Amino acid sequence: MIEINNLHKSYKMGANSLHVLKGLNFSIKEGELVAIMGSSGSGKSTLLNILGMLDEADSGEYTLDGVPIKNLNETKAAKYRNKFLGFIFQSFNLINYKSAMENVALPLYYQKVPRKQREEKAIKYLSQVGLKEWAHHLPNELSGGQKQRVAIARAMAAEPKVLLADEPTGALDSKTSYEVMDLIQKINDDGNTILVVTHEEDIAHMCKRIVHLKDGVIVEDKKVDQVRASQYV
Amino acid sequence: MFSRDIWKEIFETIQKNKLRTFLSGFTVALGILIFVVLFGFGNGLINTFNEFFSNDATNVFMVFRGRTTMPYKGYKANRTVEFDNSDLEDVEKNFPLFLEYLSPRITRQDTVSYKNESNSYSNWGVGPAHQYAEMNIIMKGRYINVMDIKNKTKNAVIGRLVEQDLFGSKNAVGKYIDVGGSSFKVIGVFQDDGGDNEERNIFVPYTTMQLIEKNTDKIDAMVIGFKPEIGYAGAMAFEKSLDKFIREKKYIHPQDRNGIFIRNVADQLRQNQQFARVLQIIVGFVAFGTIIAGIIGISNIMVFVVKERTKELGIRKALGATPKSVIGTILLESVFITTVSGFIGMLLGVGILSSMGERLEDFFITNPYIDMPMAIIATVVLIIFGGIAGYVPARRAARIKPIVALRDE
């Protein structure tokens, strides 16, 4: 599903250049649930942003579902993001003046799905994350866990090839974190490919594979026995 | 661009960001409103100026006499200049090329009474041509004619309001009124656009008035109508030679400003029209400034709006919004708000102008108005510039990488 080859990225900070990713190689198959771990500054968020086409690599190859991702202009990137990817952010990034349902329906709006179908689909995904009753509430009427579940529903709504989660539990307490992870595991059980960036060991072990990043290189890439989050809920 | 979905999205955004919408709308509406009102007032000023002169003919000189202030040719200063009937004949004889008509004027204030009603009115001794200079319109009966002058008849023409005062609703023509102790027959009633004062005049043959006043031949002023075809330059030349002619005849120093005085209506009209035009340019300049201020206002708000929405736009882009759709939404939103509030402001302004009507006449603003095309052009200009003002920050926002926008807290 995802292939990356010799990926480099550096940031210019005034006169200095900060080499963040130093030639990464790895691949993710369909249906995997991968945790990318590393301390802050290890380059894990940069990697996720490049995978998410929110940022561009300096050099190297990136293939997503057989499509080479390169020379993207903004319009093309937007179309690929909409078609291939679903994002889950640490700070949820819901639009605060739109209701939960409208937030979930937004990616479908950009897919030019008719309004009625959008709303039906949004309700369907909201009930999948257990928030059907909250469909018409604004984000600030929801708890942190609920907000993240709305964000997950939104990421799912476009039926993307890959879900990218950047510290999805970073702003949540551990009980809510496990609930969110439980949801992510269930979505993965349905066959969806998911990438989770985290720095928490227990969250990482709820995935099926852990990729360790340190100073811009992969130091470890191992399969793990998945810890089911449901036992903590 | 015009799909229902996009509009629904825009209406939702507008509805849920009322303060923002109100602020930008208010700026635009206020700008247009002030523009329309100011421009209308400018037009009102011009109306006033035009109205001052529309009730008298403009091809007229009034020659008034005064008191000399300079000694000249053996005559001392401080001598009262007098006009008499021979001056009329001399003017008529010497300026046949310029002259269209000529009338003397003797101005008196007399008590006029009919039965029990009595009042004080301006009573002017005039010739038949005076009617053209004052642009009096005869409602019934007739004006003073040549036979009245020749026979020194005791006939009078009275203003509409004089008839109303003395006769109420009855017809005055054919009745006899007492004017300063003499009995006159009313032969006509006139009206005048110049307002109430001008309709409280009565006119009698100047020869009759001279007869009553001990058979004198003195007159107070000469009203001279010149041929309109001599044009402005011709009128100026006529005025100059007329001035010279009278000064020579009456021994008045050429530089003496007080001996005689010629009031040139055409020249005054021209000067006043120029003054009004300058005023309108100033008013127009201020109004134009208001539009500029409105454009700057809407630009500022658009910059602020885009800044405020940076994160939202980042989220939208992460979810698949193309730069085009980002710019399109912001632009359509801003153009929609400016259009609606622009036209609200315009209609309000036009409404204010038409409700003013007569109320500002004390401030020299008569019937203020703005032509609809002008108002619409100003509104459209503001909308276009509002759009451009929105486009620049929108394009910048569309170019921001979503990752940068998302980091924006």
Side-chain angles (χ1 to χ4, degrees), chain B residues 1 5 15 36 39 77 176-177 206 252 298 323 339 350 360 365:
Chain B
M1 177 170 180
D5 248 7
Q15 235 171 38
V36 168
F39 205 86
Y176 286 88
I177 52 174
Y206 72 97
I252 303 167
I298 187 78
T339 306
V350 171
L360 287 173
I365 291 166

Side-chain angles (χ1 to χ4, degrees), chain B residues 178-354:
Chain B
D178 183 273
V179 181
S182 304
S183 187
F184 279 78
K185 183 184 180 187
V186 177
I187 54 165
V189 179
F190 69 87
Q191 61 179 32
D192 194 301
D193 285 340
D196 290 0
N197 268 343
E198 307 244 320
E199 291 185 336
R200 288 214 157 85
N201 273 355
I202 82 169
F203 298 122
V204 300
Y206 72 97
T207 49
T208 313
M209 197 176 256
Q210 285 171 336
L211 182 69
I212 291 170
E213 293 177 353
K214 295 169 190 147
N215 208 6
T216 155
D217 65 346
K218 300 280 181 277
I219 56 175
D220 286 336
M222 287 184 276
V223 179
I224 298 168
F226 57 84
K227 292 176 177 156
E229 58 266 26
I230 66 174
Y232 180 72
M236 290 292 120
F238 181 26
E239 183 189 343
K240 219 170 167 181
S241 49
L242 184 68
D243 185 70
K244 199 174 162 218
F245 174 77
I246 296 173
R247 280 175 195 277
E248 263 169 27
K249 191 181 169 197
K250 300 285 175 188
Y251 307 109
I252 303 167
H253 193 282
Q255 256 82 55
D256 192 341
R257 301 180 64 111
N258 289 343
I260 58 158
F261 172 70
I262 299 178
R263 182 176 160 223
N264 184 341
V265 177
D267 195 35
Q268 276 184 336
L269 176 69
R270 196 178 154 108
Q271 280 176 11
N272 279 296
Q273 275 175 340
Q274 271 169 352
F275 181 58
R277 211 166 294 140
V278 169
L279 265 182
Q280 202 195 22
I281 289 171
I282 293 171
V283 170
F285 191 73
V286 173
F288 182 70
T290 318
I291 289 282
I292 300 279
I295 290 171
I296 293 172
I298 187 78
S299 315
N300 274 333
I301 289 168
M302 283 318 293
V303 170
F304 166 73
V305 163
V306 169
K307 180 87 193 137
E308 191 204 45
R309 293 180 74 177
T310 305
K311 179 153 189 185
E312 180 201 329
L313 297 175
I315 298 171
R316 283 174 184 270
K317 288 185 84 178
L319 296 179
T322 57
K324 218 171 92 187
S325 82
V326 169
I327 294 175
T329 328
I330 293 179
L331 262 193
L332 274 184
E333 192 187 315
S334 88
V335 168
F336 179 77
I337 293 173
T338 38
T339 306
V340 170
S341 47
F343 277 96
I344 288 175
M346 186 189 88
L347 292 179
L348 266 181
V350 171
I352 287 176
L353 284 185
S354 54

Side-chain angles (χ1 to χ4, degrees), chain A residues 54 78 81-82 87 89 93-98 102-103 106-107 109-110 154, chain B residues 6 8-10 12-14 17 20 309-323 325-326 329-330 333 402 405-406:
Chain A
L54 297 173
R81 277 199 290 273
N82 189 261
F87 290 95
F89 300 97
N93 280 338
L94 300 175
I95 292 175
N96 55 21
Y97 64 82
K98 285 183 176 290
E102 287 164 338
N103 263 290
L106 199 57
Y109 168 77
Y110 290 113
R154 182 175 67 183
Chain B
I6 292 176
K8 207 142 189 182
E9 182 74 20
I10 287 167
E12 273 175 19
T13 316
I14 288 173
N17 298 280
R20 191 169 81 195
R309 293 180 74 177
T310 305
K311 179 153 189 185
E312 180 201 329
L313 297 175
I315 298 171
R316 283 174 184 270
K317 288 185 84 178
L319 296 179
T322 57
S325 82
V326 169
T329 328
I330 293 179
E333 192 187 315
L406 284 173

Side-chain angles (χ1 to χ4, degrees), chain B residues 71-145:
Chain B
Y72 187 60
K73 287 194 173 167
Y75 287 88
K76 284 187 197 164
N78 207 20
R79 170 175 57 95
T80 305
V81 176
E82 297 204 304
F83 292 155
D84 56 40
N85 292 348
S86 74
D87 297 328
L88 292 174
E89 287 156 28
D90 283 343
V91 169
E92 201 157 11
K93 226 184 295 164
N94 281 284
F95 299 99
L97 280 177
F98 297 112
L99 206 64
E100 179 150 292
Y101 56 78
L102 176 67
S103 167
R105 182 190 279 177
I106 307 169
T107 50
R108 297 286 178 269
Q109 188 77 20
D110 279 317
T111 304
V112 179
S113 52
Y114 174 74
K115 290 187 176 167
N116 294 325
E117 300 292 334
S118 141
N119 212 337
S120 177
Y121 298 102
S122 302
N123 174 26
W124 291 0
V126 299
H130 199 267
Q131 184 189 358
Y132 312 127
E134 285 288 318
M135 288 171 69
N136 294 139
I137 300 152
I138 290 291
M139 299 164 69
K140 47 194 172 189
R142 63 172 176 85
Y143 204 76
I144 291 160
N145 63 18

